Amino acid sequence: MAKTETVILDKAGIARAVTRITHEILEHNKGGEKLALIGIRSGGVDLAKLLRKRINEIEGGDIPIGTVDITMYRDDLAARGNLPIGRTDIPFPLDGRNVVLVDDVLYTGRTIRSAMDALMDFGRPSTIQLAVLIDRGHRELPIRADYVGRNVPTARDEDVAVDFNADGNPIEVRLIKP
């Protein structure tokens, strides 16, 4: 049986969503003074870079950015077998910062829980907020995003794919049905 795919956000829609998220982050945090962005590997890293660019354009300055790999913090590591371990790079202290975790798709919440566990090994932020491009529902943990580009109700057997170009810019979000 062939899968069907529907484009739910094109490049222009993604740009609008990222702009809205950027303004919501700045409004909620009263600017970017104590702000830091941490992208979750892999899609969250590119989105964090895009958010940083937009925040810097609006606020000036240079918002610190980092990346976190959650492989070793996963609660299903034994069941998944050998997973490639990426690099976590947080080149600034987290203590006292308002950290915005960034990911492309929020689903069960388990990735976010793992990312928060990883962050705590690097310091004690004042707050941890969550920004996602797509929230597809089906939470298994009590986690919600503070900033959402688009809510997309899905069935559990469906998938959401965010496509990036060679420069790391998101170009399309697709809903994939079996």
Side-chain angles (χ1 to χ4, degrees):
M1 189 178 269
K3 293 183 178 188
T4 61
E5 297 187 10
T6 306
V7 174
I8 52 178
L9 277 179
D10 59 10
K11 192 173 180 178
I14 292 169
R16 285 189 299 274
V18 168
T19 298
R20 186 177 65 256
I21 290 169
T22 300
H23 285 285
E24 288 174 0
I25 289 170
L26 289 171
E27 183 176 329
H28 179 81
N29 291 284
K30 297 176 177 58
E33 187 179 333
K34 289 185 168 187
L35 200 59
L37 300 173
I38 306 285
I40 300 173
R41 290 204 187 273
S42 62
V45 173
D46 291 325
L47 287 169
K49 289 176 185 174
L50 188 54
L51 285 169
R52 178 187 191 205
K53 180 181 175 193
R54 298 270 172 86
I55 289 170
N56 289 342
E57 288 169 356
I58 295 167
E59 288 287 303
D62 196 20
I63 300 297
I65 189 168
T67 61
V68 64
D69 179 80
I70 57 118
T71 304
M72 297 307 295
Y73 294 88
R74 294 180 65 98
D75 60 7
D76 63 351
L77 191 56
R80 290 246 178 164
N82 291 334
L83 291 174
I85 298 174
R87 184 165 177 244
T88 293
D89 181 23
I90 303 174
F92 51 88
L94 294 180
D95 297 344
R97 292 217 179 256
N98 295 319
V99 172
V100 179
L101 269 175
V102 182
D103 205 4
D104 53 356
V105 179
L106 175 58
Y107 183 35
T108 64
R110 292 183 181 276
T111 296
I112 306 308
R113 186 217 38 95
S114 298
M116 289 190 298
D117 287 350
L119 285 183
M120 292 304 162
D121 285 348
F122 286 87
R124 189 173 190 279
S126 290
T127 63
I128 299 175
Q129 302 160 39
L130 176 60
V132 298
L133 184 59
I134 303 293
D135 183 344
R136 62 171 288 194
H138 302 288
R139 225 62 90 240
E140 294 175 1
L141 299 172
I143 290 175
R144 66 164 181 79
D146 299 284
Y147 316 104
V148 178
R150 183 151 178 201
N151 287 292
V152 180
T154 64
R156 284 200 177 267
D157 64 346
E158 296 173 336
D159 197 12
V160 174
V162 180
D163 297 327
F164 294 86
N165 66 16
D167 295 327
N169 294 312
I171 55 172
E172 191 173 78
V173 179
R174 295 175 288 119
L175 176 64
I176 304 166
K177 297 182 180 189

